[in-house]
Amino acid sequence: MVIKGRSEALDDLGLHWFMGHYLKERTSNQAIFLFDEKSIDTYVPYFLLSYGKSIQVIEPQRVKDRLVAVVSELMEYYQL
């Protein structure tokens, strides 16, 4: 998974108790993580939501799609 964003947010992701184990490469504005498929589908989107617009998932598309689905579910839940 490739994420770009603010340096502070990427630093925090790299130090995260779960995410940090999967960090493979880091530049000033980008981080590359290697996750297993189960993590990408279940845990990762929820961890990333807390970073709001300070980060952006570049790839894979399925993580972006999962983020959209999670946010849509939350919107629907809170609009009741």
Side-chain angles (χ1 to χ4, degrees):
M1 179 174 66
V2 178
I3 297 177
K4 74 174 186 177
R6 291 191 358 231
S7 182
E8 302 83 15
L10 295 175
D11 288 344
D12 193 53
L13 273 174
L15 294 172
H16 187 275
W17 67 270
F18 179 79
M19 303 281 289
H21 295 289
Y22 297 94
L23 180 63
K24 294 302 172 198
E25 188 178 323
R26 170 71 200 283
T27 65
S28 63
N29 67 344
Q30 183 173 288
I32 298 174
F33 296 87
L34 296 178
F35 289 105
D36 56 88
E37 291 194 25
K38 180 182 178 186
S39 295
I40 282 180
D41 292 334
T42 56
Y43 310 117
V44 172
Y46 294 97
F47 292 137
L48 296 179
L49 280 178
S50 65
Y51 291 91
K53 292 170 36 176
S54 66
I55 63 165
Q56 182 179 16
V57 174
I58 304 302
E59 59 181 60
Q61 182 63 42
R62 80 184 239 208
V63 174
K64 294 163 70 169
D65 294 342
R66 184 70 182 122
L67 281 166
V68 169
V70 169
V71 170
S72 295
E73 290 168 10
L74 285 170
M75 284 177 44
E76 192 173 307
Y77 176 79
Y78 282 106
Q79 287 179 344
L80 295 178

